[in-house]
Amino acid sequence: MDALTVLRRLTRFKPLLLLFMLFCAWPVVAGLYHMLTHGAWILMDIDAVLCGAKTLASGHSPYAIHPPSCGGNRPAAYVYAPQVARLFVPFIDAFGVNGARTLFLIVLLAPATLFLLWFALVKRFDGIDIRWRWLAFAALTPMTFVCANVGIVMHSMVLASLFFFQPGQGAGPRTGHVAGDDRWRYARWPFTVTVLLCSCVKPTFLAYFVIFLLDDIALWRRGFAFGWRAVAGVAVNQIMILTDGHYGKAWQKTLHSVTLARQPGMGWFELTNFVFHVPGKSDLNWQLALGFMAVMTLAGMAIAHWGRMDDDERLLFGMGLVPLMTPRILDYDMILIVPYAALLMAVAYRVGGGVFRFLLSWLFSGWMVWGILTYILHIEGWHRTPMAMLLFGCLTVIVALRAALSGVWPNRAQAGAAA
């Protein structure tokens, strides 16, 4: 009996299902409670941006090791381009650091977080069981919701640029199938502009253009759509570097120091750094990262082609694959990986036979439940979130291979399903 069947029987009554959801959410809920009641370091990322803007406005370098005091706040290191800090200077002048932070939290961060959570946990997807989504939610950390990083706002902007401008909207009810020439007719320009703007703050957002490779049009059209946007993105970021002014070199130095050496994240860079002891700044690490991203992209293309997904699922799939395949995943990048992982399991059930479903369902469920238990029992040796990201990455490749097998050799796949 596969794990989903067992979970459905155990949670067939609503009170039991609610208890299951609470169990899955416990690492996040309990962690948030502890952080908020024990004066933990929170809101450090928006403080970094605002204090960087204040420091720059006062004529000092926002990248200084010991910048001037910022109203008693404890900001993280400022790692964005000088131009980003200059954008926030008018808000600092008008509201002060604390006022600008409050404005950011209320007007931008709270709505963006709620939108992402709604899409990840509440929005209905007929082919995805809610139990998979809540199990995947257990991978998140409380820091996802209290670091106040602008990345959450930008992820929600990218999602909104696709979600509210989907193919077929404005032209009658959607059928779920749009002709190849019309697909992305509505979505491509808002999405492209949004990604380019976000990449000025975080260049890694250019990876979102991989979504064009997941469409179901001719391969050369996909390559062209991805290629010219990638070139445009590189050009935009090169302009940012060329116009970064007096503090450009300090920005580049701080960016490489913090993002690769001190904060490698919880994805590929952490795996290479702490498991294989590959130095963060080494050429080998970058080469391995490019190989990892290439494998994930090919796996994503295979799943998109043979995974039997409708348009809504394609949107969900692309929005989750991109942050997962980014070598440096941080807390604020993970919300959209939650429904992505659940969709992976749904696709696994569509393309795999009984043995395949049995093995993957128990692997996924056991891995995630063990992560929750390690948090409850304070078992330090298991790094719950990084290990979950490792699981999701491996599942992507496994499901891709199985989907390709079912598409290329359907007779073998049907034989496996009969087993």
Side-chain angles (χ1 to χ4, degrees):
M1 187 179 296
D2 65 278
L4 182 58
T5 301
V6 173
L7 286 175
R8 283 173 172 168
R9 291 185 179 183
L10 292 176
T11 59
R12 61 184 179 274
F13 302 115
K14 278 193 174 180
L16 296 176
L17 181 59
L18 290 175
L19 284 176
F20 172 76
M21 293 177 179
L22 178 60
F23 173 73
C24 294
W26 188 252
V28 174
V29 174
L32 283 173
Y33 176 79
H34 183 271
M35 295 181 75
L36 295 175
T37 57
H38 288 74
W41 190 28
I42 61 175
L43 305 180
M44 69 291 291
D45 287 345
I46 186 59
D47 284 346
V49 175
L50 297 176
C51 292
K54 179 182 178 182
T55 302
L56 186 67
S58 65
H60 296 87
S61 172
Y63 309 102
I65 298 177
H66 300 291
S69 176
C70 189
N73 294 322
R74 299 170 57 197
Y78 180 77
V79 298
Y80 304 116
Q83 298 94 317
V84 177
R86 294 189 184 99
L87 288 176
F88 284 85
V89 170
F91 296 95
I92 301 296
D93 293 338
F95 303 104
V97 171
N98 292 328
R101 178 174 63 178
T102 301
L103 186 67
F104 172 82
L105 296 178
I106 295 175
V107 176
L108 293 178
L109 184 66
T113 304
L114 291 175
F115 175 51
L116 292 176
L117 284 174
W118 170 81
F119 187 82
L121 295 174
V122 179
K123 184 184 183 309
R124 182 177 178 83
F125 292 94
D126 291 334
I128 305 175
D129 195 283
I130 193 173
R131 294 160 186 83
W132 292 140
R133 294 161 79 172
W134 280 95
L135 277 172
F137 184 78
L140 300 186
T141 72
M143 190 59 72
T144 302
F145 305 99
V146 295
C147 66
N149 193 281
V150 295
I152 290 182
V153 176
M154 294 193 298
H155 282 300
S156 70
M157 289 171 56
V158 174
L159 175 61
S161 73
L162 287 175
F163 184 76
F164 294 111
F165 296 92
Q166 294 184 47
Q169 286 193 356
R174 288 205 310 134
T175 63
H177 299 281
V178 182
D181 290 340
D182 293 332
R183 187 181 298 278
W184 298 97
R185 180 177 59 187
Y186 296 90
R188 61 157 63 111
W189 290 113
F191 173 70
T192 300
V193 172
T194 302
V195 171
L196 289 175
L197 290 175
C198 290
S199 73
C200 293
V201 181
K202 293 179 179 288
T204 54
F205 269 68
L206 290 177
Y208 269 116
F209 286 144
V210 167
I211 286 178
F212 284 97
L213 296 176
L214 307 179
D215 203 3
D216 61 354
I217 58 178
L219 184 59
W220 73 268
R221 288 178 180 268
R222 281 182 269 172
F224 179 76
F226 167 77
W228 78 259
R229 286 171 173 86
V231 171
V234 172
V236 167
N237 279 265
Q238 189 64 29
I239 292 173
M240 291 288 292
I241 294 174
L242 295 176
T243 60
D244 55 18
H246 180 66
Y247 300 110
K249 291 184 178 180
W251 167 42
Q252 295 295 313
K253 182 178 179 180
T254 301
L255 182 65
H256 287 83
S257 173
V258 172
T259 59
L260 292 180
R262 292 157 52 190
Q263 296 178 7
M266 290 174 258
W268 179 259
F269 280 151
E270 187 196 45
L271 186 68
T272 57
N273 272 325
F274 298 107
V275 177
F276 300 111
H277 305 292
V278 178
K281 296 182 180 181
S282 68
D283 292 338
L284 175 60
N285 206 18
W286 279 108
Q287 293 164 3
L288 291 172
L290 290 174
F292 164 73
M293 295 180 71
V295 169
M296 292 292 287
T297 299
L298 292 174
M301 292 174 68
I303 295 173
H305 187 71
W306 289 297
R308 308 170 196 170
M309 295 186 289
D310 61 27
D311 289 343
D312 284 342
E313 290 180 347
R314 281 178 178 274
L315 186 154
L316 185 160
F317 183 76
M319 289 298 301
L321 173 67
V322 172
L324 181 63
M325 66 181 283
T326 303
R328 183 178 178 263
I329 309 173
L330 290 173
D331 308 73
Y332 50 82
D333 296 315
M334 297 179 182
I335 298 179
L336 290 175
I337 297 177
V338 168
Y340 168 84
L343 176 58
L344 273 182
M345 294 307 300
V347 172
Y349 270 60
R350 297 170 193 171
V351 302
V355 174
F356 185 77
R357 296 176 184 181
F358 177 86
L359 294 176
L360 253 66
S361 65
W362 281 109
L363 173 64
F364 184 90
S365 301
W367 195 294
M368 301 311 298
V369 168
W370 174 246
I372 301 169
L373 293 176
T374 59
Y375 177 87
I376 296 174
L377 301 175
H378 304 287
I379 299 175
E380 302 294 339
W382 183 268
H383 300 283
R384 175 174 54 87
T385 299
M387 294 304 293
M389 297 303 116
L390 174 62
L391 171 67
F392 300 159
C394 292
L395 286 178
T396 300
V397 177
I398 294 171
V399 173
L401 292 173
R402 181 61 181 180
L405 176 64
S406 68
V408 177
W409 294 292
N411 292 334
R412 293 188 183 182
Q414 290 175 4

